[in-house]
Amino acid sequence: NAGVTQTPKFQVLKTGQSMTLQCAQDMNHNSMYWYRQDPGMGLRLIYYSASEGTTDKGEVPNGYNVSRLNKREFSLRLESAAPSQTSVYFCASSEQDFEAFFGQGTRLTVV
Amino acid sequence: AQKITQTQPGMFVQEKEAVTLDCTYDTSDQSYGLFWYKQPSSGEMIFLIYQGSYDEQNATEGRYSLNFQKARKSANLVISASQLGDSAMYFCAMRDFAGGSQGNLIFGKGTKLSVKP
């Protein structure tokens, strides 16, 4: 039972490069989320998707785009990476009234 | 606007003692859910306990209990009989549907708990 799978686990980008973080869940959840975690800031919501075909901005969406490809997959794209996007990124999924399950995180460094 | 506040950046507790981690929240919704997560140094997010806004009883899960005071908008986590393995970051989180939200899940900044032997 894989739960929530994120790839890659680690990534180093140069400023201006683009990349896509992949996330897939096998629990048939409707809701999926992308967070970034920075020291002293907790987890801040970037985007979320309440169901297949819908996405909505969270607290810190600037510089990111998302795609809810299907019910299982929710990807996060950085079109032009900046050093301020150096962070640990978490994907999560949940059913509406229940706890969210998290991936293992992606540690991204932008140089 | 939704908001979760954890006022204790760091806490120390002696092994085998109880500790309370504070969490206050703000929402205009009547229906919401409150969650606590643990993040050990290895980085994974571990769900601990859930309280629904309409639940009349405080939630309990083993050594974890949630002291829910709805009028004060607080949802404090109580850990009884602390163990060395409880040393971690603890995050309070809330899901509601206020302001047109479709149920996003927001987190506080966390409290780092250190258990002393």
Side-chain angles (χ1 to χ4, degrees):
Chain A
N1 186 3
V4 179
T5 303
Q6 283 182 242
T7 55
K9 288 187 168 52
F10 301 94
Q11 184 72 48
V12 178
L13 289 179
K14 293 182 179 178
T15 298
Q17 286 186 320
S18 62
M19 79 162 295
T20 299
L21 281 66
Q22 306 286 354
C23 176
Q25 52 94 5
D26 61 3
M27 295 172 283
N28 204 36
H29 288 163
N30 281 304
S31 297
M32 296 187 74
Y33 314 83
W34 275 107
Y35 296 91
R36 61 176 290 173
Q37 184 177 22
D38 303 292
M41 300 298 293
L43 278 79
R44 291 184 292 170
L45 184 64
I46 305 172
Y47 272 93
Y48 69 104
S49 171
S51 61
E52 183 179 353
T54 68
T55 61
D56 210 344
K57 294 178 181 179
E59 180 185 358
V60 289
N62 291 345
Y64 305 95
N65 286 300
V66 290
S67 295
R68 185 74 183 265
L69 305 168
N70 47 55
K71 194 171 186 179
R72 289 188 64 247
E73 297 172 290
F74 189 39
S75 62
L76 179 72
R77 182 160 178 84
L78 287 71
E79 289 291 352
S80 179
S84 61
Q85 294 178 305
T86 292
S87 188
V88 179
Y89 291 84
F90 284 97
C91 177
S93 72
S94 74
E95 269 312 308
Q96 181 167 302
D97 293 328
F98 297 95
E99 73 271 24
F101 293 82
F102 284 79
Q104 292 299 303
T106 297
R107 189 172 294 274
L108 175 67
T109 302
V110 183
V111 298
Chain B
Q2 301 166 295
K3 189 175 181 180
I4 293 281
T5 302
Q6 294 181 253
T7 57
Q8 305 154 313
M11 290 276 289
F12 287 91
V13 64
Q14 201 69 37
E15 192 178 9
K16 299 180 184 178
E17 292 186 349
V19 62
T20 297
L21 306 183
D22 294 342
C23 173
T24 58
Y25 59 91
D26 192 17
T27 177
S28 57
D29 205 354
Q30 297 301 310
S31 177
Y32 50 89
L34 297 156
F35 304 81
W36 278 92
Y37 284 83
K38 173 184 178 181
Q39 186 180 43
S41 58
S42 52
E44 72 267 33
M45 294 291 289
I46 302 168
F47 165 72
L48 296 177
I49 196 166
Y50 164 80
Q51 178 86 40
S53 59
Y54 293 116
D55 294 341
E56 294 186 353
Q57 302 280 346
N58 285 343
T60 61
E61 288 288 347
R63 293 187 298 112
Y64 304 108
S65 61
L66 200 153
N67 184 0
F68 180 46
Q69 298 188 40
K70 193 170 183 177
R72 298 180 60 183
K73 293 190 174 179
S74 74
N76 298 339
L77 177 70
V78 180
I79 306 174
S80 63
S82 297
Q83 302 172 355
L84 295 178
D86 293 335
S87 294
M89 283 291 290
Y90 288 81
F91 293 99
C92 181
M94 176 177 69
R95 178 188 293 123
D96 70 4
F97 296 84
S101 160
Q102 297 184 63
N104 59 354
L105 181 65
I106 63 165
F107 284 76
K109 293 184 178 182
T111 295
K112 184 173 183 179
L113 178 67
S114 299
V115 180
K116 298 185 289 185

